[in-house]
Amino acid sequence: MQRYFSSQTYEESQQSALVLSGDDFHHSIHVMRMKAGDQCYLVFADQVAIIAELTEVLAETVSLREVSRETQEKELPVAITIASGYPKGDKLDLIVQKGTELGAYQFVGFPGQTSVVKWDAKKLNKRQERLTKIAKEAAEQSHRLVQPEVTLYSQMSEFMATLANYDHVLVAYEESAKAGEHGQLVKTLSQIKPGESLLAVFGPEGGLSSQEIQTFLGAGGSLCALGPRILRTETAPFYLLSAASYQLELLKNV
Amino acid sequence: MQRYFSSQTYEESQQSALVLSGDDFHHSIHVMRMKAGDQCYLVFADQVAIIAELTEVLAETVSLREVSRETQEKELPVAITIASGYPKGDKLDLIVQKGTELGAYQFVGFPGQTSVVKWDAKKLNKRQERLTKIAKEAAEQSHRLVQPEVTLYSQMSEFMATLANYDHVLVAYEESAKAGEHGQLVKTLSQIKPGESLLAVFGPEGGLSSQEIQTFLGAGGSLCALGPRILRTETAPFYLLSAASYQLELLKNV
C-alpha cells in the first residue's frame, strides 16, 4: 500500500479535510491509478501514520478520510546519521536509497582528503535536492515514519563542527578490519540508549587519511571494524545499519 | 593490496614456481602497474592465502615468491546461499557484488511466479558468466578466501530440488515484517553451528506467491522478517548477511 508524507502534524491535519496535492496527487492518480475507495498510508510530520481511504478525486487534489492508526514501530530506537566522504559516480544515490530503507535518520556528505570528485556550491545544492527526493521515495516505499534529511557540506570544517551534537561517533576504518578489531561496534550498540544519536563516518574510496582519523579521534570518535572483510565505501553503511537493527530491534525483543 | 585467486590448492602450488598469467597477469601489470618487489595476495583453491612478492615480469607471466601466510579468518563460519527470484534490470549484479563483499558463500537465481523478466537458456548462461565475474572481482576486492559460485535456474522445480541440501532454510517474507515478526532470524543465527549451511530465499519485486510460500514451508523452510521496515528485493540480502556477520563474527568474539 502506497505511503505519502504530509508536512502537517497529525493534530494540524484535524483542523481541515485530509487531501493529497501536488506531486503526491499526481503520483496517486496518474502513477498508482488510485480511485475512490482505495487506501493508502498518510504519515504526518510528528511520526503519526494512518491508513486513509480516498473519498473523492478532484481536478488537482484527492480527498481522504482516516480509517485507522498505524501502531507498529517502524523507526530504529536511536537516530543514526550516515556521513560519507564524497564517493565517485552515483554511489551516494545508492547509499541514501538503501540506507533509508535500512533505517538511517539522516545523511551527511563531506569532502574527504582522498575524495576525487570536487563539487562547487551550485552542484552541491542540486545533488542535495536530488538525494532528498531519493530519500523521500525510499522512505515511502519502506514504510518509514521519517524522511531522512540530506546535508552536503562543501568544507570538512563545517562537518567537523557538528560532531559535538552526537551522543556517539563511530568511524569505520579499513585498517581496524585488517587488524581483526571486532569489539567496538558491539560495545557501542550495546551501550547506546533509546533516543540517543549515533554518527557513523565512512571515508571515500581512498579511505580516510591518517590526519582525518586523528581529527575524528580528537573529537571523541571511536574506530570500528564491520567484520573481517573489506567493504566498499557504499556497502559499509548497509552493514552498520543492518547490525544496528539486528541488535536494537530483533535481539532486544527476543 | 591486490588479491588474486589461483585455481590450484596451496599444496599443488608448491610443485612449481608461483606465477600470475592470463587476466591476472594483465590486471597486475597493465591495470595495477605492479613492478618487481611489489606485493599482492594469492588465494588458493583450498582457502589458503599468502602474501607474495613479484620477482620478475616476463612477456606473459609474472613470477612471485611467498613472503608470508595470511592468518586472519575472513570467511563467515557458516555457508550462506542467497537465492533471489529474478528481479528486474541489473539488480542481480548489485546483489552479487555487495553480497560477496558481505560474505555470501554462493548465489542462486530462480524464476519466481511474480518475476517480470523471462530469460531463456542462452540468456541465463550469459548472465551466469557475467555474475560469476562480478563475484570474482568483489571477492578479490573484499579479501575473501572463497569466490562465490552463481547458479541460475530456468525452472523453479530445479531450484526446489536443492532445498534438502541445506541445514537451514529461511524465507524473507514481507508479510512477516508487517506482522512484527522478529524472532526467527535471531533463532536461526543463534542455533546454526560452524560449518552448517543456510539458504536464504528472497522473492522478486512482486514478492513470493502464497503457493511458493507454502512450497518453501513444506520443504522445511521458516518465514522470517528482517526488521520492521519493508526492504527492496536487492536490499534484503544485505541485511541478512550483515546480521549474520554481526551475530557470528562480532558478538561471538566479544
Side-chain angles (χ1 to χ4, degrees), chain A residues 153 157-169 197-199 201 215-216 218-221:
Chain A
Y153 292 107
S157 56
E158 296 173 87
F159 169 52
M160 292 303 297
T162 69
L163 259 63
N165 302 341
Y166 298 93
D167 298 311
H168 305 267
V169 178
S197 59
L198 165 63
L199 172 69
V201 183
T215 312
F216 287 119

Side-chain angles (χ1 to χ4, degrees), chain A residues 97-123:
Chain A
Q97 187 191 63
K98 305 284 163 244
T100 298
E101 294 175 55
L102 293 166
Y105 181 72
Q106 60 178 7
F107 297 91
V108 163
F110 65 90
Q113 284 184 344
T114 70
S115 286
V116 176
V117 291
K118 305 284 174 211
W119 291 330
D120 59 21
K122 195 178 152 198
K123 180 90 182 165

